């Protein structure tokens, strides 16, 4: 028996197929149009340029670009943030600022923010960040303020700590938790030298930038200051500063590496890596340097405040070009607010990638006060030890004019003192005399 399908069923089948195909084409068309529309909107976005202090292709540049990309992915403004190469060449930065539209946002060392703010070359951010001040350590926030105006917002930075070789201390019978004063540190150095082949501590004595920030930590710790609160008079010529320099030169110098008078921080790191010294005062890179070299020994950190010193800090700040139009300024401020958010601050600890070691290493610290409770420090507990330095820091360049004093008289003079070619009294007097002239604009 044969069966024939009624013709009306064939007609119905063809109609259904046609309708379904039509719907698919319409949906594909809508999806395609929507995608094209989004792409068109993306292409229409103007660029806001962020100049960093590293190459964009470097490990640090790539790390920063990842943070910027995370912002661009949620950015609803008419501007997309683009990152460009930079450095710490002040002359180049000033030239860019004068060109008005070459760069919109800058990452700057705090001392440049002070200098450029003092000369009215940066955007005044006071009203835009009135509610953010409480997020940061008071002394750190003040580094971005000039004459009651906010020119820089803290973003990331470093602070120094007393890093030690756990293996050497264990061999010497030194318990690091007992080192809670400078006298205990000296005693620990003595014990290291008596029980191991290593020297106690790495010191800097060369005519170099490092001798300035290194010794300042002791001067502040002993109760001395560089300038008065108004920044108009040199105050270093005091018994406190003299005692600090004497301690550094004589008490600690007795347990330093043999070449410390001609060494900078670079050589100190070399000696520490080679286990020729048990202690060094460095930032977190003092630890990552050991990690990058195969972790030949365990490291630990003692906050400098635990032994009565003020840690040198180096916050990098976010600043704006002074001639941005209102729309650009609003978009730039929104971006800065993202960079200082908890999410973006935690991303700093993701670190920079090292192709040589196929690993990521933190290179700077986040600077918000409340970041200490972040889960990121469960991964890097030793780095949390550096954060306390932000509360009572040693400021290497307390006022813009100090940079000239430091370069021409302070660092060279300290080197001469360490080499016994100049007395501490004569050094302090010279800094006061020459420094006051510079602060008063006579030089």
């Amino acid at each position: 028996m044969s069966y024939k399908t009624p013709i009306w069923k064939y007609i119905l089948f063809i109609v259904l197929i046609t309708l379904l195909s039509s719907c698919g084409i319409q949906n594909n068309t809508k999806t395609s149009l929507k995608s094209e529309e989004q792409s068109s909107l993306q292409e229409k976005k103007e660029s806001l340029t962020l100049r960093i202090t590293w190459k964009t292709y470097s490990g640090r540049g790539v790390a920063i670009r990842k943070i910027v990309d995370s912002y661009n992915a949620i950015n609803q403004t008419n501007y997309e943030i683009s990152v460009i190469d930079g450095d710490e060449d002040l002359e180049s930065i000033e030239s860019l600022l004068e060109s008005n539209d070459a760069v919109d946002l800058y990452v700057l060392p705090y001392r440049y923010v002070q200098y450029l703010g003092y000369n009215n070359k940066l955007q005044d951010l006071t009203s835009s960040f009135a509610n953010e001040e409480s997020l940061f350590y008071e002394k750190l926030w003040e580094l971005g303020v000039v004459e009651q105006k906010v020119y820089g917002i803290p973003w990331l930075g470093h602070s120094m700590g007393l890093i030690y070789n756990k293996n050497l201390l264990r061999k010497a019978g030194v318990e690091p938790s007992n080192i809670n004063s400078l006298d205990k540190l000296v005693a620990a150095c003595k014990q290291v030298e008596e029980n191991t082949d290593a020297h106690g501590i790495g010191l800097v004595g060369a005519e170099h930038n490092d001798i300035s920030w290194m010794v300042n930590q002791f001067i502040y710790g002993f109760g001395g200051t560089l300038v008065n609160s108004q920044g108009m008079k040199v105050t270093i010529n005091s018994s406190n500063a003299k005692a600090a320099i004497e301690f550094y030169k004589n008490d600690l110098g007795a347990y330093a590496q043999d070449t410390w008078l001609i060494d900078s921080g670079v050589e100190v790191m070399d000696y520490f890596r080679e286990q020729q010294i048990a202690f060094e005062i460095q930032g977190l890179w003092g630890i990552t340097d050991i990690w990058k070299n195969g972790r030949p020994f365990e490291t630990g950190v003692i906050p400098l405040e635990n032994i009565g010193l003020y840690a040198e800090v180096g916050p990098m700040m976010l600043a704006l070009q002074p001639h941005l139009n209102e729309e650009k300024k609003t978009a730039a401020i929104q971006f800065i607010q993202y960079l200082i958010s908890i999410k973006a601050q935690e991303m700093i600890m993701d670190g920079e990638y090292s192709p040589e070691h196929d690993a990521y290493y933190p290179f700077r610290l986040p600077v918000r006060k409340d970041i200490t409770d972040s889960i990121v420090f469960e991964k890097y507990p030793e780095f949390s030890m550096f954060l306390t330095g932000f509360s009572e820091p040693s400021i290497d360049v307390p006022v813009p004019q100090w940079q000239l004093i430091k370069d021409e008289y302070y660092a060279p003079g300290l080197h001469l003192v360490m080499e016994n070619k100049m007395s501490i009294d004569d050094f302090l007097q010279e800094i006061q005399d020459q420094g006051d002239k510079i602060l008063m604009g006579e030089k």
Side-chain angles (χ1 to χ4, degrees):
M1 177 183 277
S2 63
Y3 295 92
K4 293 184 178 179
T5 304
I7 193 167
W8 66 267
K9 288 187 177 182
Y10 284 115
I11 295 171
L12 179 60
F13 178 74
I14 292 170
V15 170
L16 287 172
I17 292 296
T18 304
L19 287 172
L20 288 172
S21 298
S22 175
C23 288
I25 292 170
Q26 287 179 357
N27 287 336
N28 288 338
T29 302
K30 286 179 181 178
T31 301
S32 177
L33 287 172
K34 186 176 181 181
S35 177
E36 288 177 10
E37 183 180 347
Q38 289 176 338
S39 177
S40 176
L41 285 172
Q42 194 75 9
E43 288 174 5
K44 287 179 182 177
K45 281 195 172 188
E46 292 186 47
S47 179
L48 272 179
T49 54
L50 169 68
R51 183 184 188 273
I52 60 176
T53 55
W54 298 285
K55 297 294 184 183
T56 55
Y57 60 77
S58 68
R60 296 176 185 186
V62 171
I64 291 170
R65 278 162 45 205
K66 283 184 179 179
I67 300 174
V68 173
D69 287 345
S70 72
Y71 171 75
N72 281 331
I74 61 171
N75 173 18
Q76 297 296 312
T77 72
N78 294 324
Y79 297 91
E80 181 165 296
I81 309 299
S82 61
V83 184
I84 62 172
D85 293 350
D87 48 36
E88 294 188 18
D89 185 330
L90 182 57
E91 189 174 328
S92 295
I93 293 168
E94 286 189 278
S95 177
L96 286 169
L97 285 166
E98 289 167 5
S99 68
N100 294 345
D101 58 357
V103 177
D104 303 305
L105 299 102
Y106 291 82
V107 177
L108 298 172
Y110 78 87
R111 62 187 185 277
Y112 287 5
V113 171
Q114 295 252 323
Y115 169 78
L116 295 168
Y118 182 80
N119 288 284
N120 297 310
K121 293 185 177 183
L122 296 174
Q123 181 83 238
D124 180 1
L125 301 173
T126 309
S127 60
S128 301
F129 289 89
N131 298 323
E132 280 75 17
E133 179 178 352
S134 61
L135 300 175
F136 299 92
Y137 297 90
E138 180 182 354
K139 298 292 177 64
L140 212 60
W141 181 265
E142 289 174 354
L143 293 177
V145 179
V146 179
E147 296 179 347
Q148 287 75 55
K149 292 181 180 180
V150 177
Y151 289 104
I153 307 300
W155 177 36
L156 49 74
H158 71 258
S159 110
M160 299 298 175
L162 181 65
I163 304 174
Y164 58 88
N165 181 322
K166 286 185 179 182
N167 298 21
L168 283 175
L169 264 58
R170 196 179 296 121
K171 185 176 180 180
V174 173
E175 174 51 56
S177 62
N178 293 333
I179 303 174
N180 54 16
S181 69
L182 286 172
D183 288 339
K184 293 282 184 66
L185 173 60
V186 171
C189 289
K190 183 174 185 291
Q191 201 167 330
V192 165
E193 295 202 355
E194 289 174 345
N195 294 282
T196 75
D197 294 329
H199 287 285
I201 189 168
L203 293 185
V204 169
E207 184 179 332
H208 187 275
N209 171 65
D210 291 344
I211 195 173
S212 172
W213 62 257
M214 179 69 80
V215 173
N216 284 346
Q217 297 173 119
F218 291 81
I219 290 174
Y220 282 102
F222 275 68
T225 55
L226 304 185
V227 297
N228 63 9
S229 57
Q230 294 78 34
M232 300 299 293
K233 185 173 178 59
V234 171
T235 55
I236 196 174
N237 193 5
S238 66
S239 58
N240 305 77
K242 181 177 181 179
I245 297 172
E246 285 177 338
F247 179 85
Y248 181 87
K249 177 177 181 288
N250 301 323
D251 297 61
L252 281 183
Y255 299 102
Q257 74 275 20
D258 293 335
T259 56
W260 76 273
L261 293 177
I262 57 171
D263 287 342
S264 70
V266 173
E267 287 75 34
V268 169
M269 288 180 65
D270 291 341
Y271 283 121
F272 187 72
R273 187 188 319 113
E274 294 161 4
Q275 302 196 64
Q276 295 185 42
I277 53 175
F279 296 95
E280 66 171 350
I281 297 176
Q282 291 285 359
L284 57 79
W285 52 81
I287 294 176
T288 57
D289 181 62
I290 303 306
W291 293 355
K292 292 175 183 178
N293 285 277
R295 299 186 186 233
F297 55 89
E298 294 180 272
T299 56
V301 184
I302 298 172
L304 289 185
E305 66 174 15
N306 287 15
I307 57 173
L309 299 182
Y310 285 31
E312 190 270 338
V313 298
M316 302 300 284
M317 299 198 162
L318 299 161
L320 296 186
Q321 203 260 77
H323 305 294
L324 293 180
N325 62 46
E326 277 306 309
E327 187 180 11
K328 272 193 169 185
K329 179 182 175 183
T330 300
I333 287 170
Q334 181 176 304
F335 173 58
I336 293 177
Q337 287 170 335
Y338 175 80
L339 290 182
I340 62 175
S341 69
I342 286 290
K343 176 185 176 181
Q345 287 277 286
E346 288 179 337
M347 289 182 73
I348 293 168
M349 292 302 293
D350 289 345
E352 61 179 324
Y353 179 69
S354 169
E356 181 183 355
H357 305 93
D358 190 25
Y360 287 86
Y361 301 98
F363 62 96
R364 289 293 186 275
L365 295 167
V367 291
R368 278 180 61 138
K369 283 192 298 188
D370 53 359
I371 205 71
T372 53
D373 300 323
S374 171
I375 194 171
V376 297
F377 287 107
E378 291 182 13
K379 183 179 180 182
Y380 300 112
E382 55 270 79
F383 292 158
S384 66
M385 298 294 182
F386 291 100
L387 297 175
T388 60
F390 291 133
S391 59
E392 284 293 343
S394 165
I395 309 301
D396 191 43
V397 183
V399 292
Q401 299 94 323
W402 188 265
Q403 188 67 50
L404 180 60
I405 299 170
K406 171 183 168 178
D407 292 343
E408 293 198 8
Y409 301 101
Y410 194 64
L414 278 172
H415 173 63
L416 292 175
V417 167
M418 301 306 161
E419 287 199 318
N420 289 320
K421 294 179 179 178
M422 188 179 201
S423 72
I424 296 176
D425 288 327
D426 287 345
F427 165 72
L428 294 175
Q429 188 64 53
E430 180 182 53
I431 299 304
Q432 178 181 322
D433 294 342
Q434 300 301 329
D436 280 342
K437 290 178 182 178
I438 291 173
L439 292 182
M440 290 185 289
E442 295 178 12
K443 297 193 72 172

